[in-house]
Amino acid sequence: MDTKKVWLVTGASKGLGLSLVKRLLNEGYKVAATSRTVESLEKEVGISANFLPLEVNVTDEQSVRNAISKAIGTFGGIDVVVNNAGYGQLGTLEELSDREARQNFDTNVFGLLNVMRNVLPHLRNKKSGHIINISSIAGFLGAFPGWGIYNATKFAVAGLTEAFSAEATSLGIKATIVYPGYFKTNFLLQGSLRLAENPIAEYKAARDLEVVHDTQIIGKQPGDPEKAALAFIQLAESENPPLHFFMGSDSLGMANSKIGILQNELSANEALSKSTDF
């Protein structure tokens, strides 16, 4: 009897999603994977009986619903969902237009919600499953000038997943937020990272950080996508997976730094915090 889990991975034609899909197939799992075009998936992954490439626009709920229905019909069910689809939007809060900001939220947050809403009736009915939502270390530590909107989308992913975890525990459904650091993928390249259409020169810190990413970080990211894929599988196979998982030594270090800052501010302002009680 085949007891291997069936996976649904969004945003699977590149980056961490692509590495995960390839590893899953090598390990004998059945995988339904989404991208904006089936051709891009077939080109990167190939064709096999255990692989179902799906053309999906995560911001289109009907597109998502159709894909989930096809995956369930093809493999008999879904056990693990990895919400990986998304992109980075750079630009300070003043620079970005309403359209640029909302488009980032539409994909990174509401696209993820579309997937969750449409897969949950299936997971709820079978009283099992695991939803892994990809945030970012920028969804825990937001002090990156020029990354405010992207940070906000990833903080939103973390917040809604925390709430979902509390909602779904009694249903037998698990949830994990993954906060990746820098991995050697194409995330920092064109297509996964968009710059502000109307930059303002006075925002020097934001411009300087863009230069750092372009000249110092690309190609030197410490994270190995192949090892990340193995970590995803370990999370999904765990009896008690964590709600929060910081992926990469850089992510872990930045998380500890943020926790230290919070602890110091809690202690320094304890008397003022308590002064507001009746």
Side-chain angles (χ1 to χ4, degrees):
M1 181 178 178
D2 186 2
T3 58
K4 278 190 174 290
K5 294 179 172 69
V6 177
W7 291 62
L8 171 66
V9 182
T10 70
S13 64
K14 56 187 175 181
L16 291 179
L18 177 59
S19 296
L20 174 59
V21 167
K22 288 181 175 179
R23 171 58 65 175
L24 288 169
L25 292 170
N26 285 340
E27 298 285 337
Y29 291 93
K30 293 182 173 66
V31 182
T34 82
S35 181
R36 283 172 289 185
T37 66
V38 168
E39 291 77 16
S40 63
L41 286 168
E42 291 177 341
K43 177 183 177 181
E44 295 290 346
V45 180
I47 300 172
S48 73
N50 284 350
F51 179 53
L52 177 64
L54 297 163
E55 183 171 318
V56 174
N57 176 0
V58 294
T59 67
D60 181 339
E61 190 156 14
Q62 188 61 52
S63 173
V64 170
R65 185 179 298 120
N66 292 343
I68 289 171
S69 178
K70 188 170 182 180
I72 294 170
T74 300
F75 294 135
I78 295 171
D79 300 299
V80 184
V81 178
V82 179
N83 276 306
N84 177 65
Y87 69 93
Q89 175 65 66
L90 297 192
T92 66
L93 299 182
E94 181 185 356
E95 289 169 336
L96 292 181
S97 66
D98 184 69
R99 176 182 55 78
E100 287 171 294
R102 288 179 183 274
Q103 283 180 346
N104 205 209
F105 269 89
D106 281 344
T107 298
N108 293 6
V109 180
F110 293 105
L112 175 146
L113 276 172
N114 279 340
V115 175
M116 291 181 68
R117 267 198 304 266
N118 284 283
V119 79
L120 278 170
H122 171 68
L123 301 183
R124 180 164 45 82
N125 183 59
K126 68 194 194 78
K127 295 181 171 56
S128 68
H130 190 177
I131 293 181
I132 301 174
N133 287 335
I134 310 302
S135 178
S136 165
I137 187 54
F140 184 77
L141 174 67
F144 301 101
W147 290 71
I149 291 299
Y150 175 73
N151 293 354
T153 68
K154 294 304 186 177
F155 269 83
V157 167
L160 67 87
T161 309
E162 279 198 19
F164 170 70
S165 177
E167 295 164 357
T169 298
S170 63
L171 304 175
I173 304 170
K174 301 168 184 176
T176 297
I177 310 157
V178 175
Y179 304 86
Y182 289 106
F183 278 79
K184 198 167 289 184
T185 68
N186 55 6
F187 177 74
L188 296 178
L189 302 177
Q190 188 174 8
S192 294
L193 195 62
R194 302 180 187 177
L195 299 178
E197 293 176 0
N198 297 292
I200 299 171
E202 286 88 341
Y203 284 106
K204 185 177 184 303
R207 298 293 86 77
D208 289 347
L209 191 57
E210 287 174 8
V211 172
V212 167
H213 281 85
D214 191 45
T215 62
Q216 299 179 31
I217 295 178
I218 289 180
K220 299 177 183 177
Q221 300 97 315
D224 181 344
E226 300 305 318
K227 292 179 180 178
L230 293 173
F232 279 117
I233 294 172
Q234 189 169 334
L235 287 171
E237 296 296 344
S238 172
E239 187 75 22
N240 296 296
L243 173 57
H244 302 274
F245 178 65
F246 293 89
M247 183 178 278
S249 59
D250 56 345
S251 177
L252 191 65
M254 285 186 273
N256 278 319
S257 175
K258 168 74 176 279
I259 290 167
I261 291 169
L262 289 175
Q263 288 177 331
N264 289 337
E265 291 190 342
L266 286 170
S267 298
N269 296 284
E270 182 175 1
L272 183 59
S273 295
K274 292 179 176 178
S275 73
T276 61
D277 295 348
F278 281 107

